[in-house]
Amino acid sequence: MKIPKYYKTGFRLLKITNTISKRILPLNILLGLTNTAFQYAGYFFLAIVIDRLIEGKYSDATFFSALLIISNLLLSLIINKLNKYATVEANLLFTDFKTRVRDKALLLSYDRLSKPGFTGEILDGEFTTEIEGGIDYLIECFKTLLSSGFSIIVAFIMSVQMLFLRGVKSPSEQIVSIILYIGIMVFLILSNMLLRKKNSINQESSVEGHERAERGVGYFSNVIYGDADALRNIKMYDMQELVWSKCRHFHEITMRYFADSYNKRKKQNLAADFCADVYIFFSVGLIFMRMLSGAITIGAFTAYYGAFTQFSKAFPKILQSDFDIKRITDYMEIFADFLDENKQDKEDMQGYESKNSTDDKCKKVIPDGDCNIEFHDVSYRYPGTDKNVLEHVNVSFSTGEKSAIVGLNGAGKTTLIGLLCGLYRPSEGYITLNGVNILEYDHDEYMKLFSCVFQDFRLFDLTVGENISCTEDYDRKRALKIINAIGLRKRIDNISGGIESDFIGEEENTDFSGGEKQKLAIGRAIFRNARFMILDEPTSALDPVSEEKVYEDFAKMTEDKTGIFISHRMSSCLLCDRIIVMKNGKVTDIGCHKDLLEKSKLYSKMWNAQAKYYVA
Ligand code: ADP
């Protein structure tokens, strides 16, 4: 029998769960079993008690009554305890599972993580689990499936026993009973299957776009309550009405979705109750017939009635759990793929190492002293796209050299830096460090060669010192020296917490301007003290005087290092030994300012476009 794909996904998720908590699965299996035992123990002892009473065996009846009470008490105590443990474990699991996803995301290679839509899919998945239920709910469904399965097996064995193994008093009555039994079962199974089908159709045809709308509601709440920059734009451009109308629109869709689901569920429940009543009615008839014919005792009547009732409850539960498992695995499959140890794991965790057959322990050590990095016919295409954004690039960067990279927007400058720093892996060609393919070095060590300030740098909700040093335990003196060098000493000294104040903290005056934030990001690069210092247009928020100073200071501070500047301010090219001109993913020219003015049309055009302002 072929196992449906959603069960395979469900089992993969359970396997992952087992690596997070060893207790949760055994606990739930035990709970499933005890729940079934609890349901049947009552019927079993009650049947004996009734029969003994009818037979006049009062002491036996008392004994079994005591057993009934004790078993009930014991089992409910056990179930209570297990439920408590299982709930605590499930809550922990929900958080641990999320943490596991985040941990893994932090280890991913950058090019996989930056693949368009990838993080969006993970976030959508997380958002849906918050609303519709996550891994804990999946386990709950499997538990229900298990206990209902047990219940059905026991009920089935009991019905077979009632129909075939009990003394045959009247063969014709037995045949009628068997036919009636088959009829009742077919009715129950078919009606439930039909209801289940209707349920899936309802689910699929439910208000379109509700997931998008739920995300939209969340997004606009964040914009309104948590994002000062967004609010400034909303006020400035009088966008309140637009934002409110979007909010209302998404809110209406979500409300319609919930109302629609509620109504459909109500109708469905009514239909299910009706079918269950019909089933019970005929079941009672069947058991009664068996009792009248003398095949079963009055006491057994109670037990069989219980078995039939349990069957009627368990069967829809199985279908519902099956439906829920399909629904949950649908949005959680992304996590199964993401966390599955065997799937792409090596590639995910250590993008660089994976392409390299060399064992981790045999990785080459980054050489001390001079470093010469060379691109050999490197082309690059972002994952999920089919166009090269870099084409056959041959360029090298040597120790102590200062280079500027210029080119129009989209020429591929930032991508080239990403490849140089080891954030991306070439699609074609290769990169060497002192003649050795960089794939052969320890990737983390290789990345330590670089300090790069990107245009879209991020400062985090950490202290100023932590933001600069990127550690908790940092050299305060050195951090302050750098703060001094980037011209922020006075500013930081004026905040009550100084270097220890939270960047987005309670202290007054921690609202840094865009230019100050850029300086802090540059300070972070200086603190890292790497051998390659790169500025990728991080100075757009600085005034021209500050910008010029930053470039000059940066050049001074990185005198003995390799410096690479990407800047639209062409005057920064004058600080460099050579300029690399890029166009449409290709390096078109390399040379000094004077040479390029003569030989590169693009460079002279870019230079002249700005030079007229300088002259003026
Ligand atoms: P520059 O720094 O010269 O402005 P980039 O290197 O940022 O150029 O971009 C080069 C090209 O790569 C552009 O066409 C851009 O749209 C594309 N690009 C940049 N990042 C991605 C990405 N993560 N996924 C797909 N395409 C990208």
Side-chain angles (χ1 to χ4, degrees):
M1 200 178 76
K2 206 166 168 262
I3 302 173
K5 186 169 171 256
Y6 59 96
Y7 273 100
K8 285 188 187 158
T9 310
F11 293 143
R12 272 164 62 209
L13 285 163
L14 290 187
K15 214 170 128 197
I16 294 165
T17 303
N18 201 40
T19 64
I20 299 175
S21 158
K22 289 266 175 264
R23 274 182 297 219
I24 192 123
L25 295 183
L27 253 176
N28 278 283
I29 293 173
L30 208 61
L31 246 175
L33 282 171
T34 4
N35 267 327
T36 315
F38 179 70
Q39 289 153 10
Y40 285 98
Y43 298 129
F44 176 73
F45 288 123
L46 191 62
I48 301 177
V49 170
I50 293 172
D51 281 345
R52 297 294 181 274
L53 282 176
I54 293 169
E55 289 161 14
K57 296 176 177 167
Y58 298 114
S59 59
D60 278 8
T62 319
F63 172 71
F64 282 106
S65 300
L67 272 188
L68 169 71
I69 295 168
I70 292 169
S71 69
N72 245 325
L73 263 175
L74 260 179
L75 285 170
S76 55
L77 259 175
I78 294 172
I79 290 174
N80 237 328
K81 273 265 173 271
L82 287 177
N83 257 330
K84 262 188 203 152
Y85 286 132
T87 313
V88 173
E89 281 295 318
N91 288 341
L92 287 176
L93 176 73
F94 184 78
T95 328
D96 286 349
F97 190 85
K98 239 168 132 180
T99 314
R100 179 70 69 98
V101 174
R102 307 247 155 107
D103 282 353
K104 173 118 188 212
L106 282 174
L107 290 171
L108 276 189
S109 64
Y110 183 72
D111 55 359
R112 179 146 146 79
L113 201 58
S114 62
K115 184 177 160 192
F118 178 71
T119 40
E121 268 181 62
I122 298 273
L123 283 178
D124 278 359
E126 276 200 2
F127 195 77
T128 318
T129 55
E130 298 277 349
I131 293 184
E132 310 221 352
I135 188 75
D136 49 337
Y137 187 36
L138 182 73
I139 290 175
E140 181 69 33
C141 292
F142 271 109
K143 185 189 81 188
T144 312
L145 197 68
L146 190 78
S147 64
S148 307
F150 285 143
S151 203
I152 279 188
I153 292 170
V154 177
F156 183 72
I157 294 171
M158 285 177 74
S159 353
V160 169
Q161 192 215 23
M162 179 189 83
L163 292 170
F164 297 102
L165 305 182
R166 293 289 180 147
V168 180
K169 296 275 158 75
S170 144
S172 57
E173 182 274 334
Q174 190 188 25
I175 292 169
V176 174
S177 298
I178 293 170
I179 294 171
L180 187 56
Y181 176 75
I182 294 171
I184 294 171
M185 284 302 149
V186 170
F187 169 76
L188 181 77
I189 292 168
L190 281 186
S191 61
N192 273 288
M193 301 269 254
L194 260 171
L195 283 171
R196 145 92 211 250
K197 199 157 177 214
K198 184 104 181 74
N199 195 7
S200 356
I201 296 169
N202 280 348
Q203 195 82 15
E204 274 158 26
S205 67
S206 74
V207 180
E208 211 178 301
H210 75 94
E211 280 150 358
R212 163 79 185 90
E214 278 155 24
R215 239 183 319 132
V217 171
Y219 169 77
F220 281 111
S221 307
N222 274 347
V223 162
I224 294 167
Y225 298 117
D227 188 340
D229 286 344
L231 261 186
R232 195 163 34 228
N233 280 278
I234 291 172
K235 289 268 175 229
M236 181 76 236
Y237 292 101
D238 211 8
M239 291 167 75
Q240 290 91 325
E241 190 43 47
L242 176 64
V243 170
W244 272 119
S245 131
K246 289 276 173 205
C247 266
R248 266 198 306 272
H249 169 69
F250 288 136
H251 186 70
E252 271 165 22
I253 295 179
T254 18
M255 285 299 107
R256 238 187 303 138
Y257 167 69
F258 286 124
D260 187 63
S261 306
Y262 175 75
N263 286 335
K264 280 176 181 159
R265 212 162 256 260
K266 213 166 80 181
K267 278 189 201 151
Q268 196 112 11
N269 287 345
L270 270 176
D273 287 349
F274 175 73
C275 293
D277 290 345
V278 172
Y279 163 86
I280 290 291
F281 178 79
F282 284 103
S283 305
V284 171
L286 167 66
I287 310 167
F288 202 67
M289 234 162 69
R290 293 255 78 195
M291 195 185 74
L292 285 184
S293 76
I296 60 170
T297 61
I298 298 178
F301 180 95
T302 335
Y304 292 123
Y305 172 74
F308 274 81
T309 317
Q310 286 310 321
F311 194 100
S312 77
K313 282 186 190 162
F315 193 71
K317 275 192 195 162
I318 285 197
L319 292 183
Q320 184 60 43
S321 306
D322 172 72
F323 177 77
D324 284 342
I325 289 171
K326 188 164 187 282
R327 193 173 54 84
I328 300 168
T329 48
D330 192 40
Y331 58 77
M332 286 198 74
E333 188 174 9
I334 176 103
F335 299 118
D337 290 347
F338 191 54
L339 293 175
D340 198 333
E341 296 291 323
N342 301 318
K343 212 172 168 189
Q344 274 194 321
D345 216 29
K346 268 247 141 187
E347 186 156 348
D348 286 348
M349 311 276 280
Q350 296 288 341
Y352 258 86
E353 278 89 333
S354 64
K355 267 210 170 173
N356 182 14
S357 53
T358 325
D359 191 50
D360 275 10
K361 289 182 203 119
C362 309
K363 294 280 174 198
K364 288 203 161 58
V365 179
I366 301 289
D368 290 332
D370 287 357
C371 282
N372 179 33
I373 299 183
E374 196 167 350
F375 280 54
H376 302 262
D377 230 15
V378 169
S379 298
Y380 184 72
R381 182 171 48 251
Y382 280 97
T385 65
D386 52 7
K387 192 175 160 275
N388 280 349
V389 293
L390 283 191
E391 292 270 16
H392 305 289
V393 170
N394 289 290
V395 68
S396 64
F397 300 91
S398 308
T399 302
E401 203 176 25
K402 304 278 176 288
S403 312
I405 306 179
V406 299
L408 302 178
N409 285 336
K413 304 180 293 290
T414 301
T415 310
L416 182 103
I417 296 299
L419 280 153
L420 174 72
C421 298
L423 289 175
Y424 310 130
R425 192 167 48 202
S427 311
E428 286 161 47
Y430 59 98
I431 303 170
T432 55
L433 164 60
N434 292 358
V436 176
N437 192 324
I438 59 169
L439 300 179
E440 293 188 30
Y441 292 102
D442 180 287
H443 184 51
D444 290 340
E445 290 304 312
Y446 175 78
M447 285 193 77
K448 284 188 188 148
L449 286 173
F450 304 92
S451 265
C452 184
V453 194
F454 287 106
Q455 188 176 20
D456 50 359
F457 64 88
R458 283 277 187 284
L459 294 169
F460 301 99
D461 187 10
L462 304 164
T463 67
V464 171
E466 286 166 346
N467 260 301
I468 287 187
S469 64
C470 300
T471 59
E472 268 181 314
D473 187 19
Y474 59 91
D475 179 348
R476 273 178 62 97
K477 248 180 159 172
R478 204 172 141 237
L480 284 169
K481 206 169 144 197
I482 289 169
I483 287 171
N484 208 17
I486 52 176
L488 283 183
R489 184 64 192 256
K490 237 173 147 181
R491 174 77 175 85
I492 303 282
D493 284 349
N494 274 339
I495 310 170
S496 54
I499 194 169
E500 306 291 354
S501 42
D502 278 341
F503 187 65
I504 312 175
E506 300 288 296
E507 288 89 354
E508 278 173 43
N509 270 329
T510 34
D511 197 7
F512 289 98
S513 72
E516 287 165 340
K517 284 180 191 166
Q518 286 189 329
K519 285 182 178 174
L520 283 172
I522 291 166
R524 179 192 285 167
I526 297 170
F527 194 97
R528 185 165 159 98
N529 197 24
R531 285 190 250 175
F532 284 71
M533 303 289 268
I534 303 166
L535 289 184
D536 183 356
E537 294 184 55
T539 50
S540 57
L542 297 184
D543 57 82
V545 178
S546 304
E547 186 180 17
E548 192 134 340
K549 189 157 175 357
V550 161
Y551 276 105
E552 275 170 18
D553 288 350
F554 199 79
K556 251 187 257 157
M557 277 183 272
T558 60
E559 234 162 32
D560 54 334
K561 299 177 190 297
T562 311
I564 304 170
F565 301 150
I566 300 180
S567 170
H568 283 305
R569 191 142 336 240
M570 298 297 286
S571 60
S572 65
C573 292
L574 298 177
L575 298 165
C576 297
D577 306 317
R578 61 168 191 164
I579 298 141
I580 299 165
V581 184
M582 290 190 72
K583 190 178 174 186
N584 298 335
K586 293 190 177 111
V587 171
T588 52
D589 287 291
I590 300 180
C592 68
H593 171 68
K594 227 171 115 205
D595 289 349
L596 287 179
L597 271 185
E598 282 169 22
K599 74 173 189 190
S600 168
K601 244 174 148 179
L602 177 64
Y603 182 78
S604 61
K605 201 169 158 194
M606 287 176 80
W607 175 265
N608 290 326
Q610 284 190 1
K612 61 181 180 224
Y613 297 114
Y614 301 145
V615 172

